[in-house]
């Protein structure tokens, strides 16, 4: 019997028609049979502050999603050669759990759509963050998309067959990597 993989997908873009959300929606719709993908809503998550004494309901829900996940998909744009604030903030909240219980030892896939080099710098920075929070990202296959070169429609939906194949290959690799880490 194949073990199922529950994946939490986080999008660093808060725009409704974001191409990065389009990548995650495509992944969700084309997940392997043994994988389920839930896309987190980061729009109501306040910036992390140790001064917040009562955890907001949106954060409580997000932390529960982190805890229930076997693996993650991080998708997001590149802001000033780095990770978007929304994605980093979600990881900051989750990393505060005692003993890093929500993140530590879990697998992740990273994908992104942006201009120029298609989020390569942001993905590199995200890999550095993953070292500290003990999340284990896949090395290959990588998914980089140009959000402005006709690979997405006006609603942010992925239309490029080569990128679609890359996302599917990454999902298969994530399922195998997550299972290996859970053994």
């Amino acid at each position: 019997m194949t073990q199922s993989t529950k994946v939490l997908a986080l999008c660093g873009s808060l725009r409704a028609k974001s191409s990065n959300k389009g990548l995650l929606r495509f992944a969700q719709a084309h997940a392997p049979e043994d994988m389920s993908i839930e896309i987190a809503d980061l729009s109501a998550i306040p910036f992390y502050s140790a001064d917040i004494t009562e955890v907001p309901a949106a954060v409580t829900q997000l932390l529960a999603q982190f805890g229930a996940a076997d693996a993650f998909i991080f998708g997001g744009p590149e802001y000033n050669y780095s990770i978007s604030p929304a994605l980093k903030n979600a990881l900051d909240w989750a990393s505060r759990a005692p003993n890093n219980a929500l993140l530590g030892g879990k697998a992740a896939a990273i994908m992104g759509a942006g201009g120029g080099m298609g989020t390569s710098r942001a993905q590199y920075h995200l890999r550095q963050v993953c070292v500290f929070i003990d999340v284990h990202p896949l090395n290959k296959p990588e998914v980089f998309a140009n959000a402005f070169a006709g690979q997405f429609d006006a609603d942010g939906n992925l239309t490029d067959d080569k990128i679609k194949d890359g996302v599917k290959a990454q999902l298969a690799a994530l399922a195998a990597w997550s299972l290996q880490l859970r053994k």
Side-chain angles (χ1 to χ4, degrees), residues 156-172:
N157 297 309
L158 181 60
T159 59
D160 184 89
D161 288 337
K162 183 177 178 184
I163 303 297
K164 287 178 180 181
D165 290 344
V167 171
K168 290 176 185 176
Q170 191 180 63
L171 293 173

Side-chain angles (χ1 to χ4, degrees), residues 12 30 36 69 72 75 119 129 136 143 151-152 158-159:
H30 295 87
S36 64
F72 309 110
T119 74
V129 171
H136 303 280
V143 175
Q151 297 173 335
F152 297 87
L158 181 60
T159 59

Side-chain angles (χ1 to χ4, degrees), residues 63-87:
L63 297 179
Q65 290 172 304
F66 270 109
D70 299 312
F72 309 110
I73 299 173
F74 301 134
E78 184 170 292
Y79 289 5
N80 302 318
Y81 290 178
S82 192
I83 309 161
S84 69
L87 179 56

Side-chain angles (χ1 to χ4, degrees), residues 6-11 14 38-48 55-69 71-74 85-95 97 101-103 106:
K6 185 172 182 177
V7 177
L8 178 63
L10 294 102
C11 183
L14 301 178
E38 179 179 13
I39 301 174
D41 179 6
L42 303 182
S43 64
I45 306 298
F47 279 106
Y48 174 79
V55 178
V59 174
T60 299
Q61 179 181 345
L62 178 63
L63 297 179
Q65 290 172 304
F66 270 109
F72 309 110
I73 299 173
F74 301 134
L87 179 56
K88 178 67 167 61
N89 186 51
L91 295 172
D92 289 343
W93 275 104
S95 70
L102 303 178
L103 300 169
K106 294 183 181 181

